[in-house]
Amino acid sequence: MTRILSFPLLFLLIASQARSQEKTLVLRKVSKPPIVDGIVDTIWSEADSATGFFQTQPYYGQPPSRNTVAKVLTTEYALYCMIICYDDHENIQKTTGKLDDFAGDVVSIMIDTFGDNKTAYKFAVTASGVKADSRLLDDARNRDYGWDGVWFADSRIYDWGFVVEMEIPYRSIQYDETLNAWGLDFDRWIPHLTEDLYWCRYEQNEGQRISKFGRLVFENFHPTIKGENLEIYPVGITSANYLENKKYRVQGDLGLDVFFNPSPKLTFQLTANPDFAQIEADPFSFNISRYETYYDERRPFFTQGNEIFMPSGRERNSGFYRPLELLYTRRIGKKLPNGSEVPLLLGTKAFGRAGDWEYGGFLSMTGSADFSSGGLPQNEPQAYFASARIKKHILDNSTIGILYVGKFTQGNSYGVIDVDGAFRTSRWQLSYQFARSIKNNDGDFGGSAGFVMFGENWMTLARTRVIGEKFDIDQVGFVPWRGTAEVTAVTGPRWYFDDGYVSSILLYAGGILYNEKVDGYTDHSGVLGYNMQFRTNWGFEINTSLGQSRDLGVKYRSYEVTFSSWFNPSPDFNGNFWGGYSRTYNFRRNYLAYYAWVGGSTGFQVLKTLQAGTSLSSNMEFKPDRSVEDVVLNGRPYLSLTPVNNLNIRLYVDLLYFKSTDHLEQTIFGLLFSYNFLPKSWIYLAVNEVRDRRPEYDPLGSILPNRLHVTDRAGVLKMKYLYYF
């Protein structure tokens, strides 16, 4: 039985279609640039002003409780933005942070540089001067936080508020140089009031939409700066790896990353001999299903610029529509059974735009690797991975595209080709995907579709997914559910409240049909859920399902109850809590029984420079008679010290305990020093140590008593420096 609604449905948002014409800001060119230091220079008196911000929470449509003024100027080379925020000095959150990782008061500017109503850059700065940047995608349904730009900012706090200034070089972004105006919006988050303000107005049932941005109108000016647009990153690495008997292997290596923008609409990316080691191990995942566990990609080469390869229609906040992941980059340079990694020798990308078309290409080469599995010698052969993508914007705010992904080894070829797209209006979105797998001479079909409609007082969601029995793309993608078909639909009313403690309530009901050919049966169940949001910045959701299922010849009544809650009662504290109980088939134990899980996470801002937190989860397996089979506990406490902006020291411990052995089975200790001393330039020092209870032998080959002992210890010093032309 699959869990279908694990994320709060209230956060599901749909797109709007028409760009707001109510907000317009004139961009004026000046001969002398403002000094980016948080001080209001007299030159800003020449700029047009954006005022009249709109409150989206906690009281939708009410006047903002604090005044905000935004101004924009330009020179030939860069766009400048200043945002003035009025507030009492004691209310302003002044915590330190690092790029894309911060807390406290924050403001941002968002610009749609192609006028396509679907994509935009977002540049954000906190009151204490911490920067964050990202790409808004799919009419603001999704975010690409892997995008990092070369830009500059500073802030200054006063008795009456704070000021943020930004400088965004035109050669750092892509844009359509023929446009007379760009889409524009500003945002301000006031944490002590949980108040979110935008310059543009958005409907409460839709959320932010690029298609409703205001306009930044060019006054006798068009950006044309291209420059060399060349970014070169030499990477130096020194590492020490623990072998055994207190011996270490010390080695050094060099790598190179290159970004090149020959035009504002085209980007090339190259990596040679990259270091793909992850700073932290993948989080522990307890899995009782018959399918493999999915892990997120964290390696920068694969996360940066990946928007072109993403399937259309995926919604970051909801997770309801789940298109097939045909390019799963964890297959490239993958981990082997002995813990080593397949070496990635070379990787390159190219992506860009031409009118209403977007295009992209990807190519990488991995080396050969020897390893053992089950005591037998194995070899992972040298391989080439390739992907090609083309996408067209249609009907103002919709897309259609084709994607190809392939892997080639000596004598074998694997891959997949698909057609996907999304139709969007202000009230609904219909997404679709049709794919054909390739495995030498074999292949099969798979597809998915999703429909989302949020009206003012009612929502409807539906999705379907069909995977052929021979749809095998395990070499390039993540689609393990071969020979399955699913249909899920839910609908229900939603209420908003203008005042009071409760801000909104959502009630929904529906059904699920799920067929696995291996079982020769269609599981069917009903779903009922309740979601409530409060103005004090917390909420919860309860979801239940009840139905009939069959697994491995066993037919049974299945049910599941889940609960999740999220809370952020003050700027210095946040947390989540979740849990559930189900009757389902346990493929780890090969029997029908009961399963429960509970967990939570918290984060505390102990000092302006120190954050502490932890996550703790418990997975409980029950026998058919409801007695306890085993309990697994996983805790990850951490300390994060940021004495100054962009310099961080992080300590964490990962603990794994099994009740059946009454022992800690694994501990991981990690230390990371990171310093972002210039844009896209970093120094890293990472130390990791893993201890577990795998068999241990003395020099004579005799097995030692079971104990926690060091099985892996490594230290890495890495420097990455940007040469920007």
Side-chain angles (χ1 to χ4, degrees):
M1 189 69 192
T2 57
R3 194 179 314 164
I4 63 151
L5 296 171
S6 59
F7 196 93
L9 285 175
L10 188 64
F11 289 167
L12 273 168
L13 304 173
I14 66 168
S16 304
Q17 191 170 3
R19 183 182 294 284
S20 170
Q21 300 296 324
E22 298 178 357
K23 298 284 189 177
T24 299
L25 197 68
V26 176
L27 179 62
R28 296 181 178 129
K29 183 179 178 181
V30 291
S31 57
K32 182 180 179 181
I35 299 174
V36 178
D37 56 5
I39 299 174
V40 183
D41 300 327
T42 56
I43 196 170
W44 283 110
S45 63
E46 301 181 32
D48 197 4
S49 297
T51 57
F53 278 61
F54 182 83
Q55 182 179 164
T56 60
Q57 73 171 68
Y59 296 99
Y60 177 83
Q62 294 297 313
S65 60
R66 303 292 187 272
N67 290 330
T68 308
V69 179
K71 292 174 175 284
V72 179
L73 287 171
T74 188
T75 64
E76 181 181 356
Y77 301 98
L79 179 73
Y80 293 84
C81 174
M82 179 181 68
I83 303 179
I84 303 172
C85 302
Y86 294 92
D87 205 342
D88 295 331
H89 183 273
E90 61 271 17
N91 292 330
I92 301 171
Q93 302 299 308
K94 312 172 187 67
T95 56
T96 57
K98 59 183 186 294
L99 180 67
D100 295 335
D101 186 4
F102 58 85
D105 290 76
V106 62
V107 295
S108 64
I109 179 175
M110 292 153 282
I111 47 176
D112 174 8
T113 59
F114 285 95
D116 62 9
N117 292 354
K118 288 182 286 294
T119 60
Y121 291 97
K122 180 171 182 175
F123 302 90
V125 184
T126 71
S128 55
V130 186
K131 299 194 305 180
D133 51 23
S134 63
R135 290 274 291 154
L136 309 185
L137 310 173
D138 300 326
D139 205 5
R141 287 175 171 83
N142 291 299
R143 305 287 191 273
D144 177 11
Y145 292 104
W147 182 83
D148 289 325
V150 179
W151 57 290
F152 309 92
D154 203 352
S155 65
R156 186 160 299 203
I157 298 174
Y158 299 90
D159 291 339
W160 47 265
F162 66 95
V163 175
V164 163
E165 288 185 292
M166 310 180 209
E167 175 189 351
I168 305 169
Y170 288 117
R171 63 178 181 170
S172 297
I173 59 177
Q174 294 182 314
Y175 57 88
D176 185 344
E177 61 269 31
T178 66
L179 296 179
N180 294 315
W182 289 350
L184 175 69
D185 197 11
F186 302 97
D187 180 23
R188 179 184 178 186
W189 168 249
I190 309 174
H192 76 96
L193 298 172
T194 67
E195 188 168 312
D196 203 8
L197 308 176
Y198 288 90
W199 183 51
C200 299
R201 178 189 177 102
Y202 302 108
E203 298 303 318
Q204 195 168 9
N205 62 306
E206 295 175 1
Q208 186 189 25
R209 288 292 173 256
I210 297 170
S211 53
K212 289 194 172 182
F213 275 14
R215 290 166 54 84
L216 179 64
V217 179
F218 303 145
E219 183 180 77
N220 300 321
F221 167 80
H222 284 85
T224 58
I225 290 298
K226 298 183 176 68
E228 297 296 333
N229 296 294
L230 178 63
E231 302 177 17
I232 301 178
Y233 306 90
V235 180
I237 306 162
T238 300
S239 63
N241 292 275
Y242 179 77
L243 299 177
E244 59 183 6
N245 300 324
K246 299 182 180 180
K247 296 180 180 179
Y248 292 84
R249 182 178 68 246
V250 179
Q251 57 188 5
D253 210 345
L254 296 175
L256 181 68
D257 292 328
V258 178
F259 288 80
F260 179 45
N261 295 83
S263 79
K265 299 181 182 179
L266 178 62
T267 297
F268 288 106
Q269 183 178 352
L270 171 72
T271 185
N273 194 28
D275 169 46
F276 279 172
Q278 293 183 185
I279 298 302
E280 294 189 32
D282 287 314
F284 172 75
S285 178
F286 196 85
N287 187 351
I288 65 169
S289 77
R290 56 169 33 128
Y291 304 114
E292 71 171 299
T293 300
Y294 179 87
Y295 292 104
D296 290 331
E297 180 62 85
R298 306 184 202 177
R299 300 172 293 181
F301 174 75
F302 291 116
T303 59
Q304 293 174 0
N306 68 341
E307 62 182 84
I308 184 64
F309 302 100
M310 292 171 56
S312 299
R314 182 191 297 272
E315 295 199 22
R316 174 182 59 91
N317 286 330
S318 71
F320 181 81
Y321 171 55
R322 297 178 296 182
L324 311 181
E325 184 142 357
L326 307 181
L327 175 58
Y328 181 42
T329 54
R330 291 293 293 256
R331 307 291 192 202
I332 306 173
K334 64 183 179 181
K335 286 192 174 183
L336 298 171
N338 65 353
S340 64
E341 296 180 352
V342 175
L344 178 64
L345 306 179
L346 185 70
T348 184
K349 289 181 184 178
F351 47 92
R353 290 174 177 252
D356 291 333
W357 295 87
E358 292 184 64
Y359 55 88
F362 169 83
L363 181 65
S364 68
M365 179 176 67
T366 58
S368 175
D370 295 319
F371 64 99
S372 62
S373 179
L376 298 175
Q378 303 285 337
N379 175 264
E380 181 72 21
Q382 184 179 52
Y384 297 88
F385 293 83
S387 181
R389 173 67 152 168
I390 188 168
K391 184 192 299 184
K392 181 172 174 54
H393 298 260
I394 60 175
L395 302 178
D396 186 45
N397 201 12
S398 302
T399 58
I400 184 171
I402 299 175
L403 173 68
Y404 167 77
V405 185
K407 176 184 178 181
F408 307 93
T409 62
Q410 186 174 6
N412 294 286
S413 61
Y414 314 92
V416 63
I417 186 168
D418 99 312
V419 175
D420 62 82
F423 295 102
R424 304 183 183 99
T425 73
S426 60
R427 293 301 175 94
W428 56 266
Q429 174 177 271
L430 174 63
S431 308
Y432 58 90
Q433 181 184 51
F434 305 98
R436 166 77 179 185
S437 66
I438 303 166
K439 187 176 181 180
N440 295 326
N441 295 323
D442 293 330
D444 207 341
F445 293 93
S448 63
F451 177 77
V452 178
M453 182 173 69
F454 264 82
E456 294 181 2
N457 304 111
W458 198 271
M459 73 91 184
T460 299
L461 312 172
R463 72 172 182 228
T464 183
R465 185 180 68 195
V466 180
I467 311 296
E469 290 183 274
K470 294 184 178 181
F471 190 83
D472 183 357
I473 63 168
D474 289 349
Q475 296 293 324
V476 295
F478 185 87
V479 185
W481 317 282
R482 292 193 291 272
T484 65
E486 174 195 358
V487 176
T488 300
V490 295
T491 189
R494 179 175 55 175
W495 298 272
Y496 290 108
F497 303 96
D498 295 334
D499 51 31
Y501 189 57
V502 178
S503 61
S504 65
I505 292 175
L506 171 65
L507 180 66
Y508 57 90
I512 311 168
L513 298 176
Y514 186 70
N515 179 272
E516 293 178 291
K517 289 187 178 181
V518 67
D519 295 315
Y521 186 78
T522 300
D523 299 351
H524 50 280
S525 60
V527 177
L528 181 65
Y530 180 82
N531 180 296
M532 179 177 285
Q533 284 272 17
F534 301 89
R535 283 197 165 83
T536 50
N537 214 24
W538 77 280
F540 70 88
E541 179 168 326
I542 300 174
N543 176 267
T544 63
S545 64
L546 175 65
Q548 291 285 338
S549 302
R550 184 164 73 183
D551 288 301
L552 298 183
V554 179
K555 186 177 179 180
Y556 60 96
R557 180 177 293 276
S558 60
Y559 56 82
E560 180 177 274
V561 179
T562 65
F563 172 83
S564 62
S565 180
W566 50 98
F567 44 91
N568 189 8
S570 79
D572 298 327
F573 174 71
N574 65 83
N576 294 275
F577 176 74
W578 61 86
Y581 183 79
S582 68
R583 185 174 189 244
T584 187
Y585 200 90
N586 187 331
F587 287 90
R588 280 172 52 92
R589 308 289 182 179
N590 199 29
Y591 55 57
L592 171 66
Y594 305 89
Y595 174 59
W597 62 96
V598 65
S601 65
T602 59
F604 302 87
Q605 196 70 44
V606 182
L607 302 170
K608 294 178 182 178
T609 59
L610 179 64
Q611 186 181 66
T614 188
S615 65
L616 178 65
S617 63
S618 174
N619 298 88
M620 294 157 280
E621 295 176 281
F622 296 92
K623 299 177 181 178
D625 63 1
R626 299 199 183 192
S627 62
V628 175
E629 177 75 67
D630 203 357
V631 178
V632 179
L633 299 176
N634 180 227
R636 291 173 64 95
Y638 71 88
L639 288 173
S640 181
L641 176 66
T642 310
V644 296
N645 285 343
N646 298 317
L647 191 156
N648 179 255
I649 302 171
R650 177 181 170 87
L651 292 169
Y652 79 95
V653 181
D654 193 314
L655 307 172
L656 188 61
Y657 168 85
F658 283 76
K659 183 179 183 299
S660 56
T661 64
D662 195 26
H663 286 304
L664 281 173
E665 292 296 321
Q666 184 184 76
T667 64
I668 301 175
F669 166 80
L671 179 148
L672 171 64
F673 171 89
S674 61
Y675 181 33
N676 181 201
F677 58 94
L678 287 172
K680 290 191 174 182
S681 299
W682 293 82
I683 296 176
Y684 296 103
L685 172 62
V687 178
N688 290 286
E689 179 181 284
V690 179
R691 293 174 177 260
D692 63 26
R693 295 180 181 273
R694 72 182 66 176
E696 183 184 11
Y697 302 90
D698 65 18
L700 298 178
S702 301
I703 192 165
L704 295 173
N706 181 278
R707 63 168 187 163
L708 276 176
H709 61 281
V710 176
T711 57
D712 188 24
R713 180 186 290 151
V716 177
L717 176 63
K718 176 179 177 180
M719 181 172 179
K720 181 177 181 180
Y721 185 79
L722 167 64
Y723 289 92
Y724 190 43
F725 301 94

